[in-house]
Amino acid sequence: MAKEAIAILESGLVCSVGLNAPAAFAAIRAAITNHSETKFIGANGEWLIGAAAPLDTSWLGRTRLVKMLASAISECLNNLDPAQLPAVPLLLCVSEVDRPGRTEDLDNKLYEALQSELGWQFNKSHSLIIPQGRISAAIALAHARKLIYEHNIPFVLIAAVDSLLVAAALDEFEDSRRILTDKNSNGFIPGEAASAVLVGRSSKEGVGQLLCTGIGYALERATIHSEEPLRADGLSEAIKNALNEAACDMGDMDFRITDNSGEHYYFKEAALALTRTLRRRKETMDIWHPADCIGEVGAAIGPALLGLGLAAGRKAYALGNNMLCHMGNDSGQRAAIVLQYEQ
């Protein structure tokens, strides 16, 4: 490996199919959904379908995001010594600044509101807000690696929260014909979620760990909004960069875990990227897309994908120990992560 591996040690998740990680990942494994009518009416006069977390309906806006995030983080840090909490940096992943329906002044107020809700302070000097949408978790992993190996910080918390169940977001995505409805099969189910993973140095001791051995990035010019022909140049490059950093190739991977949420564009992109990166014959190369169950949850999908990989390894239902995780933003940013589960 070109760089030191970091281990995904614990996870937390709040979403439409579970208010904790074990429940949610069990539901995802069983392909259970909890899609229901929202309080928003679509252009055709019918209620839009969404994937809302089963929480107190009086929690709205920033309050709802904070409540979800605090629950996911508390679950993720449950096994950590309370005396270590003030030393843990928080890398907080949120939606892009120009994403429709983004909570006002999110970057400035979410962090402080979260600390108030939890009742403790994170390591302020190394904490960071990463407003890069679905690829935020990959950026956070790379930053966490630097904190762990260059600043000798034992644990880093990567957490994310997002919701598309707000009027401005739903209006924009429905106008673009991107929401799944009876009249549109090429779309996603909007959802909300909060997710978290605790990362640290790799170790041969204790319970099974999921190692991040490579991270890659690239830019796709033929975005979902573009009229250029899609060749998956960006995703292919991101995958190759991650595989090179992990000193392996696509043929070593056993399956993929992605942020694909139902739109044909992203499934076509994943298929094209596979044909451009796999250079030896494999019987299968399955693709997992948990957004089928939890909905399109924006920035919250990243740690959720990592947590799913960890759960699949520990519960022995993974399709092998080597996993490729990839995700992408509508603006063209692509990221890939090579994961390896070790007993």
Side-chain angles (χ1 to χ4, degrees):
M1 294 176 291
K3 294 188 177 181
E4 295 279 2
I6 57 174
I8 289 88
L9 304 170
E10 301 290 345
S11 69
L13 180 59
V14 173
C15 64
S16 62
V17 294
L19 297 182
N20 57 64
F25 292 136
I28 291 170
R29 182 186 182 188
I32 293 173
T33 64
N34 188 24
H35 303 159
S36 59
E37 291 182 348
T38 68
K39 296 181 179 180
F40 302 96
I41 298 178
N44 60 1
E46 298 181 357
W47 298 108
L48 292 176
I49 302 299
L55 299 168
D56 190 330
T57 55
S58 66
W59 294 341
L60 301 173
R62 187 183 299 109
T63 298
R64 190 172 182 86
L65 297 181
V66 169
K67 294 289 187 181
M68 288 195 296
L69 188 56
S71 180
I73 288 175
S74 297
E75 178 188 6
C76 188
L77 299 179
N78 187 52
N79 294 325
L80 200 64
D81 185 344
Q84 294 180 291
L85 293 178
V88 176
L90 170 63
L91 305 182
L92 183 53
C93 306
V94 294
S95 61
E96 308 93 323
V97 294
D98 58 351
R99 214 282 307 282
R102 192 179 200 261
T103 302
E104 185 178 355
D105 206 17
L106 185 67
D107 294 347
N108 295 328
K109 295 184 178 179
L110 182 61
Y111 182 82
E112 294 301 329
L114 174 63
Q115 290 187 130
S116 177
E117 178 71 20
L118 290 169
W120 75 75
Q121 303 288 313
F122 289 101
N123 183 328
K124 186 176 181 179
S125 61
H126 293 297
S127 292
L128 186 67
I129 294 179
I130 305 174
Q132 296 296 330
R134 292 193 295 264
I135 73 160
S136 296
I139 297 172
L141 274 175
H143 189 69
R145 183 167 56 191
K146 291 182 180 180
L147 293 177
I148 292 167
Y149 288 105
E150 295 180 14
H151 296 271
N152 202 32
I153 293 177
F155 300 105
V156 177
L157 177 66
I158 299 173
V161 67
D162 207 347
S163 175
L164 272 69
L165 297 176
V166 292
L170 294 175
D171 287 344
E172 175 69 23
F173 289 120
E174 190 186 21
D175 287 345
S176 303
R177 294 185 56 80
R178 297 188 59 190
I179 292 180
L180 183 66
T181 66
D182 290 341
K183 305 296 183 181
N184 180 35
S185 61
N186 181 15
F188 58 75
I189 296 290
E192 62 181 2
S195 54
V197 289
L198 183 68
V199 301
R201 291 177 181 267
S202 59
S203 171
K204 296 299 182 182
E205 301 176 0
V207 297
Q209 58 184 357
L210 183 65
L211 299 181
C212 168
T213 58
I215 307 170
Y217 310 99
L219 183 66
E220 175 58 59
R221 298 189 181 279
T223 68
I224 193 169
H225 302 298
S226 170
E227 295 183 359
E228 295 184 37
L230 177 62
R231 300 175 61 245
D233 291 334
L235 183 56
S236 299
E237 183 180 350
I239 291 172
K240 290 174 182 177
N241 291 339
L243 292 170
N244 288 338
E245 189 173 277
C248 60
D249 62 43
M250 194 63 171
D252 296 319
M253 299 296 102
D254 295 307
F255 66 105
R256 297 163 289 164
I257 309 178
T258 79
D259 64 342
N260 294 6
S261 57
E263 295 180 284
H264 301 168
Y265 169 92
Y266 287 107
F267 281 100
K268 179 181 179 181
E269 180 185 43
L272 288 172
L274 181 63
T275 64
R276 299 187 61 182
T277 54
L278 184 60
R279 289 293 177 261
R280 50 180 152 133
R281 187 176 185 278
K282 292 181 71 72
E283 289 296 328
T284 60
M285 180 62 81
D286 202 2
I287 182 169
W288 292 4
H289 31 91
D292 278 3
C293 301
I294 68 175
E296 171 56 71
V297 295
I301 193 64
L305 299 180
L306 299 174
L308 178 59
L310 179 62
R314 287 183 174 172
K315 295 292 185 179
Y317 63 88
L319 303 178
N321 291 331
N322 299 315
M323 318 169 195
L324 178 75
C325 178
H326 63 74
M327 61 276 294
N329 288 341
D330 293 343
S331 59
Q333 296 165 302
R334 299 291 182 263
I337 304 167
V338 176
L339 304 170
Q340 181 181 9
Y341 184 77
E342 289 191 349
Q343 304 292 339

